Amino acid sequence: MQRAVVLIFQGEFIEAFYMYPAIYSLIVLFICIGINIFFKFKHSSKIIGGLAILTVATIIISYIIKLIN
């Protein structure tokens, strides 16, 4: 994950995705959590829960794919 973050800072977005596919959903999840800390918005728990499920599913699926290959 750290290498994927470094790749994002270097502007290599596709390579970052190949390195760690869940990086973008994690970034969106952390942004939503950060915004929710300062500004409470309606349905935030559903949005954050959905993003968390998406992130975990992406991590598990990419792990299984890497095991198969």
Side-chain angles (χ1 to χ4, degrees):
M1 184 170 72
Q2 294 170 347
R3 284 183 263 166
V5 171
V6 170
L7 287 170
I8 287 175
F9 284 131
Q10 293 174 349
E12 299 178 13
F13 302 110
I14 295 173
E15 288 84 6
F17 177 77
Y18 287 133
M19 181 69 64
Y20 191 71
I23 190 69
Y24 296 114
S25 60
L26 268 174
I27 291 171
V28 173
L29 177 63
F30 287 144
I31 288 172
C32 286
I33 290 172
I35 291 172
N36 190 39
I37 289 173
F38 297 108
F39 306 105
K40 303 294 182 193
F41 54 94
K42 194 173 186 177
H43 306 294
S44 63
S45 62
K46 290 181 182 180
I47 293 170
I48 291 171
L51 285 170
I53 291 171
L54 175 70
T55 302
V56 170
T58 306
I59 291 169
I60 292 171
I61 291 169
S62 67
Y63 178 74
I64 290 171
I65 290 171
K66 287 181 183 181
L67 278 178
I68 292 172
N69 290 334

